[in-house]
Amino acid sequence: MGECGGLRLREKRHAKPEVPWNPFPRGNPLLAWLRRAQARHSYWLTRFVILRLLGLVYFAAFMSVVFQVLPLIGSQGLLPAPDFMARVEAHAGSRFDGFLLLPSLFWAGFSDRGLLVLAWVGAALSLVVMLGYANVLIMAALWVLYTSFVNIGQDWYGYGWEIQLLEIGFLAMFLCPLIDARPFPKRPAPVLIIWLFRWLSFRIMLGAGLIKLRGDECWRDLTCLIFHYETQPIPNPLTRWFHFMPAWFHKLGVLWNHLVELIVPWFAFGPRRARHIAGVLLVSFQGFLILSGNLSFLNYLTIVPMLACFDDSLLSKVLPKALVARAQQAAENNVPTPLQEGLSLAYAGVVAFLSIAPTMNLFSGGQVMNGSFDRLHLVNTYGAFGSVGRERDEIIFEGTSDEVVTPESVWLPYEFPFKPGDPMRRSRVIAPFQPRLDWAIWFAAMSSPNQYPWTLHFTWKLLNND
């Protein structure tokens, strides 16, 4: 401050405006491309349907845990988790190293009650997501909980859809705000995460298609579906109808399978019309699989990343008008924050790095089906039905109530609730629920007790009236 000829000069200091943190330098071309893509397409409805369907799959997965976890991996189960964890600890050298090898909350303490409590917590959180409310905290909790069961679940959780759920569940965290759990929150879904969902859908389908071409010759001579409906793990009421269709129908079905798994996925990265057509073909193909058999929650889960082929321009034509209006209202003047963009780019970099091994696996002669290349199952390789059985073998467990077994003793089969047994009993619709024991016996029937020793433990428990 100073004076000059009777005038007093006062220095005016302006408060520096607050600028949100921006991890990108000005003029970043990648950021510019992302923002142009964000402006061209809207994904409010896309995110809504992805998260709702994922909530349904999580709910089916956790309810399968609730009703089966104790007899399967409980302290008195067929494959007790405490015994398995003890072997892992001995192999790793310490409990902490065991946790690093197979991350699970149960390393902090195991109990049968704890199994059930965490399963019910997972089911409750899944229901919250299914009803329309999701944020990073909820999605992260679901992922941690399900990872904890998968990593100690042994044979019962050794299927491709378990690691597929973990990969999709982790990716879904980046669709959501950290705190805001409303169906249509303040910030839109980052377009880069939508692209990562498309990349996941591409890997799932192409992996399934390539493993078939490299596997059973019946996929090449177009005869696999003549046997598949009869020999698949758990048929449903429509399976018999499909099985007795003429040979030309089955051959056409194999051609359709090759088209959808090998050709259509490439168009998920194309322009809008091509993406929408690809999405319709991919989703309808999974719907056909749902109609023709009980494949656990696999097909429902596989639809989740396929929904990323659609944007709001299509979904607004098929979803209820009230829902569309809410999405349009939320979309006004809302753009991703620099932090949101930065996290999306960072995770895209992680996915790109972790995708190297799965991509090399896809195009290798020794393609692995349903395998993980990192301990957190963030980017995996997939495939299904690389071979198809020509005949169906079933293990029949029988018992008698006679106190003294004689040649005249009457033996009656133990009927499982879901797997094929009495040929006069009609199959049931059970998917997306997965009866893990019924399913696992399908594998055991194609092998020996040496490979599946739990079958002997199961027999012992039946002999002891468990």
Side-chain angles (χ1 to χ4, degrees):
M1 183 176 65
E3 294 184 3
C4 179
L7 295 176
R8 176 174 291 186
L9 304 179
R10 185 180 299 273
E11 183 178 337
K12 188 174 182 181
R13 296 180 180 175
H14 297 276
K16 195 172 183 180
E18 291 187 8
V19 179
W21 177 73
N22 189 340
F24 303 104
R26 186 173 297 178
N28 185 295
L30 179 57
L31 178 60
W33 176 83
L34 284 175
R35 288 178 174 168
R36 286 196 302 270
Q38 195 84 44
R40 282 197 306 269
H41 305 298
S42 174
Y43 296 102
W44 294 88
L45 294 170
T46 306
R47 173 171 59 186
F48 180 87
V49 294
I50 284 176
L51 293 176
R52 301 299 79 76
L53 181 56
L54 181 56
L56 171 65
V57 173
Y58 261 132
F59 183 72
F62 277 109
M63 291 308 293
S64 294
V65 176
V66 166
F67 290 110
Q68 302 173 74
V69 67
L70 293 186
L72 296 182
I73 65 170
S75 57
Q76 301 299 317
L78 293 176
L79 292 174
D83 297 348
F84 171 71
M85 295 170 71
R87 294 194 299 272
V88 173
E89 182 178 346
H91 169 76
S94 70
R95 196 172 186 84
F96 180 72
D97 290 329
F99 168 79
L100 294 179
L101 186 63
L102 293 173
S104 173
L105 293 175
F106 296 107
W107 287 105
F110 181 92
S111 70
D112 288 351
R113 176 172 292 185
L115 286 174
L116 285 177
V117 168
L118 291 188
W120 277 111
V121 170
L125 290 177
S126 305
L127 189 59
V128 170
V129 175
M130 189 169 59
L131 292 176
Y133 300 91
N135 58 23
V136 171
L137 301 179
I138 295 174
M139 301 309 296
L142 285 169
W143 184 84
V144 169
L145 288 170
Y146 204 67
T147 298
S148 297
F149 287 104
V150 169
N151 283 341
I152 65 169
Q154 305 161 80
D155 287 0
W156 318 111
Y157 287 81
Y159 307 115
W161 51 83
E162 310 295 356
I163 58 175
Q164 186 175 324
L165 177 53
L166 294 180
E167 180 173 351
I168 292 175
F170 196 90
L171 182 57
M173 284 191 279
F174 292 86
L175 281 179
C176 309
L178 177 63
I179 303 296
D180 191 349
R182 292 175 297 174
F184 297 100
K186 203 171 182 180
R187 298 299 176 185
V191 68
L192 191 55
I193 302 303
I194 297 295
W195 275 82
L196 291 182
F197 272 103
R198 294 171 189 165
W199 167 236
L200 172 54
S201 176
F202 174 84
R203 284 187 287 113
I204 292 171
M205 298 304 288
L206 190 64
L210 291 175
I211 202 69
K212 290 179 175 67
L213 288 183
R214 292 173 174 144
D216 203 320
E217 63 180 0
C218 69
W219 289 113
R220 296 187 292 276
D221 63 24
L222 310 182
T223 60
C224 267
L225 293 185
I226 293 174
F227 314 101
H228 164 73
Y229 298 112
E230 182 181 24
T231 60
Q232 66 175 307
I234 302 179
N236 71 15
L238 289 178
T239 303
R240 183 181 183 278
W241 181 81
F242 283 108
H243 174 69
F244 285 106
M245 293 297 287
W248 65 263
F249 178 86
H250 295 308
K251 290 187 176 183
L252 190 62
V254 176
L255 283 174
W256 176 247
N257 180 95
H258 292 331
L259 172 67
V260 175
E261 291 187 338
L262 296 170
I263 306 299
V264 173
W266 297 89
F267 292 93
F269 305 112
R272 176 181 290 176
R273 181 170 296 179
R275 278 192 294 104
H276 288 176
I277 294 174
V280 170
L281 293 176
L282 292 169
V283 171
S284 61
F285 179 69
Q286 295 302 314
F288 177 82
L289 296 178
I290 290 171
L291 290 175
S292 62
N294 286 302
L295 297 177
S296 179
F297 52 77
L298 172 62
N299 305 120
Y300 298 85
L301 178 63
T302 304
I303 290 174
V304 172
M306 293 174 177
L307 294 173
C309 291
F310 307 127
D311 55 43
D312 290 358
S313 66
L314 176 67
L315 294 179
S316 61
K317 299 175 182 177
V318 297
L319 293 178
K321 291 183 179 179
L323 195 65
V324 174
R326 292 180 61 187
Q328 291 173 343
Q329 183 179 6
E332 294 177 0
N333 301 320
N334 284 321
V335 295
T337 64
L339 177 60
Q340 195 177 19
E341 292 172 327
L343 291 175
S344 301
L345 267 176
Y347 189 62
V350 171
V351 171
F353 175 75
L354 294 179
S355 293
I356 295 174
T359 302
M360 293 176 64
N361 175 71
L362 276 179
F363 299 102
S364 69
Q367 181 187 355
V368 175
M369 183 173 68
N370 298 323
S372 294
F373 296 87
D374 60 271
R375 295 180 183 179
L376 297 180
H377 312 295
L378 299 183
V379 182
N380 312 299
T381 184
Y382 302 101
F385 292 104
S387 61
V388 174
R390 305 310 194 266
E391 296 180 348
R392 185 182 194 101
D393 295 321
E394 286 289 342
I395 302 176
I396 306 298
F397 296 90
E398 294 183 333
T400 180
S401 57
D402 294 355
E403 294 183 6
V404 178
V405 177
T406 68
E408 288 75 30
S409 294
V410 176
W411 294 82
L412 298 175
Y414 288 92
E415 284 290 340
F416 287 75
F418 304 113
K419 84 173 188 67
D422 182 355
M424 300 305 294
R425 187 185 67 182
R426 186 182 184 186
S427 301
R428 300 166 60 184
V429 176
I430 55 173
F433 181 81
Q434 184 192 3
R436 297 184 182 275
L437 179 60
D438 300 53
W439 187 283
I441 289 178
W442 180 74
F443 285 99
M446 296 184 288
S447 185
S448 69
N450 293 329
Q451 187 171 353
Y452 295 97
W454 58 262
T455 55
L456 300 179
H457 194 189
F458 178 68
T459 304
W460 182 86
K461 285 185 173 291
L462 290 178
L463 289 171
N464 285 272
N465 294 320
D466 188 332

